[in-house]
Amino acid sequence: QVEQQILSMVSLYPEDEEIGRLLVEFYLSVGRVDEAEAWLRAQIKPESDDSGPRKVLLRFLAQIRSEGAMRDELTRILAQDPLPADVAADELGFRALKAGADYILGDRDQGMAALEEMLKGAEPSEEIDAIKVQLARMRLGTGNMVGARALVEEVLAHDPGPARRSGRCAQ
């Protein structure tokens, strides 16, 4: 009965993310992980440039299945030619997610090399700054404090942040 009520609510309000989350939580609470995953997969519209539903699925895979399941999914979708529109709209973001998964799963050099490759010749932007911060964290995790600091300084040079712009940042 509970499932039918939630499904009815989902059909009435398909754009309400909270109701969708409720359905996934219900499936998980009764041990129906495969159905939760299938519902999340059904929310992905590859012809749309909205990457949100796929990123929700990826978080689900990482948290409920494993980080390896998320990496496998990313490997599969990034190998598609052409890329689904939602992935193509944020290709760097998806590639950075995969690099992060590689790093977490022990392929540290591969993860860092992938991010370094993305940064080659890239024009400064918020997205590039986020990748630099991600790479800085990885470098810090491997003991490369000098390399991490250099990346953070590049990000701050591009966007010093509200505290630095207003002069309130302690030196």
Side-chain angles (χ1 to χ4, degrees):
Q1 275 184 345
V2 172
E3 177 183 10
Q4 290 308 314
Q5 287 180 327
I6 299 171
L7 287 170
S8 172
M9 291 170 56
V10 166
S11 68
L12 285 172
Y13 307 103
E15 301 299 318
D16 190 327
E17 292 176 14
E18 195 58 41
I19 297 172
R21 200 169 304 136
L22 182 64
L23 179 62
V24 170
E25 288 173 6
F26 168 76
Y27 283 141
L28 294 176
S29 73
V30 295
R32 293 163 57 187
V33 176
D34 292 342
E35 288 175 71
E37 182 179 334
W39 187 83
L40 289 171
R41 285 185 185 282
Q43 303 317 297
I44 297 169
K45 307 294 183 242
E47 67 283 352
S48 165
D49 63 356
D50 180 9
S51 63
R54 192 177 304 269
K55 287 182 177 178
V56 169
L57 172 66
L58 292 168
R59 276 193 301 276
F60 172 89
L61 292 173
Q63 292 172 355
I64 304 301
R65 299 285 190 196
S66 69
E67 198 74 32
M70 181 185 81
R71 179 175 62 178
D72 292 347
E73 181 75 9
L74 282 162
T75 300
R76 185 185 65 72
I77 62 171
L78 289 168
Q80 292 179 17
D81 187 18
L83 291 173
D86 63 321
V87 176
D90 187 16
E91 185 176 353
L92 278 180
F94 282 99
R95 291 195 183 284
L97 282 172
K98 182 177 179 307
D102 288 339
Y103 180 88
I104 288 169
L105 290 168
D107 296 328
R108 290 178 157 197
D109 292 339
Q110 180 178 324
M112 289 189 294
L115 293 181
E116 288 165 355
E117 186 64 32
M118 284 183 241
L119 295 174
K120 284 183 183 172
E123 293 295 320
S125 69
E126 284 185 38
E127 187 175 36
I128 293 300
D129 285 349
I131 291 170
K132 286 180 180 180
V133 169
Q134 181 180 356
L135 180 56
R137 287 186 179 127
M138 290 176 176
R139 286 182 176 175
L140 193 59
T142 61
N144 182 351
M145 298 198 47
V146 172
R149 182 182 176 118
L151 286 168
V152 170
E153 287 175 357
E154 287 178 27
V155 170
L156 290 174
H158 175 247
D159 182 6
R164 283 194 170 262
R165 283 192 292 267
S166 67
R168 291 180 285 144
C169 186
Q171 299 295 326

